[in-house]
Amino acid sequence: DTGVSQDPRHKITKRGQNVTFRCDPISEHNRLYWYRQTLGQGPEFLTYFQNEAQLEKSRLLSDRFSAERPKGSFSTLEIQRTEQGDSAMYLCASSLGPGTGELFFGEGSRLTVL
Amino acid sequence: AQTVTQSQPEMSVQEAETVTLSCTYDTSESNYYLFWYKQPPSRQMILVIRQEAYKQQNATENRFSVNFQKAAKSFSLKISDSQLGDTAMYFCAFMKLQTYGGSQGNLIFGKGTKLSVKP
């Protein structure tokens, strides 16, 4: 299966620690997106890349959050000094953009901050 | 700013029956896409159906169809002949198009409707 893969699937950390999530998109997809989903809510946009360029960032992406896609392939999302409010599912998606707008999602990385 | 509202947090339907999920949105844009995505329990989100705002004809995909009312900013999803595998969260989503065409990156989702299909 060559879908979008995310690692780790689950992460439990203590408040104040740093965490990093990795996303491997579908290989030919040039766009990569990060979303955050909390319980009972729809996903909220964080940021997206076209190739290695970060084209848009949400106001949700505070200065504790940083995302990279150094070679236009995989991407990392780092959260520094985690807070309990960061507990959520972090979803990665990719697309052959701009195209039809259809996004292909990974299964997500669930973060629990104690 | 665009908003998407799904007013039905939960719905249930008997297997083989038809169910309609509601979605309204607010935007001042004239060119955009609308989507319904399905998120099964502990599985990734997948696209169910897509509608281009400039198309008057409602999109259909097998048992799934939409009722797109652009003036009313309404975009409902009808599932016919419901199957147990349709049990999932369903999200309505909006994406505006760039001026020169093509999609932007920001999908705006509603809060979702949890659909349960009962045998």
Side-chain angles (χ1 to χ4, degrees):
Chain A
D1 183 86
T2 56
V4 178
S5 63
Q6 294 188 242
D7 184 70
R9 295 290 312 283
H10 303 276
K11 178 72 176 179
I12 301 174
T13 191
K14 293 182 179 179
R15 186 166 55 91
Q17 298 295 304
N18 299 342
V19 297
T20 299
F21 300 113
R22 175 180 169 126
C23 172
D24 287 89
I26 293 172
S27 59
E28 63 269 26
H29 285 183
N30 59 342
R31 284 195 173 185
L32 186 147
Y33 313 79
W34 286 100
Y35 284 79
R36 180 173 73 184
Q37 186 177 20
T38 54
L39 203 61
Q41 302 293 320
E44 297 172 293
F45 171 77
L46 294 178
T47 188
Y48 91 95
F49 295 83
Q50 182 156 303
N51 300 313
E52 65 275 9
Q54 190 172 19
L55 295 189
E56 190 175 347
K57 291 195 293 186
S58 162
R59 284 172 290 179
L60 291 174
L61 211 66
S62 75
D63 56 5
R64 296 186 299 104
F65 288 70
S66 63
E68 294 183 344
R69 194 183 183 198
K71 296 182 180 179
S73 56
F74 73 92
S75 174
T76 58
L77 177 68
E78 181 183 17
I79 309 173
Q80 297 183 324
R81 305 182 303 281
T82 52
E83 302 173 356
Q84 288 186 324
D86 297 331
S87 295
M89 178 75 83
Y90 290 85
L91 298 172
C92 178
S94 69
S95 72
L96 192 57
T100 64
E102 178 181 359
L103 271 58
F104 294 81
F105 284 85
E107 294 190 42
S109 293
R110 181 170 296 283
L111 173 65
T112 301
V113 182
L114 301 176
Chain B
Q2 291 79 28
T3 58
V4 176
T5 302
Q6 294 178 249
S7 59
Q8 305 151 315
E10 291 192 42
M11 294 190 73
S12 65
V13 63
Q14 291 295 129
E15 197 175 7
E17 293 188 346
T18 296
V19 64
T20 299
L21 279 56
S22 301
C23 173
T24 58
Y25 60 96
D26 188 25
T27 185
S28 57
E29 303 289 333
S30 55
N31 295 319
Y32 50 88
Y33 292 146
L34 293 165
F35 305 85
W36 280 97
Y37 277 87
K38 169 185 177 181
Q39 189 176 39
S42 302
R43 300 288 305 277
Q44 70 262 51
M45 197 171 311
I46 57 173
L47 178 68
V48 174
I49 198 164
R50 184 178 70 100
Q51 174 80 42
E52 294 97 327
Y54 63 87
K55 288 187 177 179
Q56 291 189 330
Q57 186 173 8
N58 290 324
T60 62
E61 285 289 341
N62 302 313
R63 297 182 295 107
F64 300 88
S65 61
V66 298
N67 183 3
F68 173 48
Q69 301 290 327
K70 190 172 184 179
K73 296 180 181 173
S74 169
F75 183 62
S76 62
L77 174 70
K78 185 171 82 171
I79 306 174
S80 303
D81 186 26
S82 297
Q83 300 176 358
L84 297 178
D86 296 333
T87 292
M89 284 292 292
Y90 286 82
F91 293 98
C92 179
F94 171 101
M95 180 185 281
K96 73 177 182 180
L97 294 181
Q98 294 165 329
T99 304
Y100 53 84
S103 63
Q104 288 215 356
N106 186 355
L107 261 178
I108 299 168
F109 287 88
K111 291 188 176 184
T113 296
K114 183 178 181 181
L115 177 67
S116 299
V117 180
K118 301 186 184 303

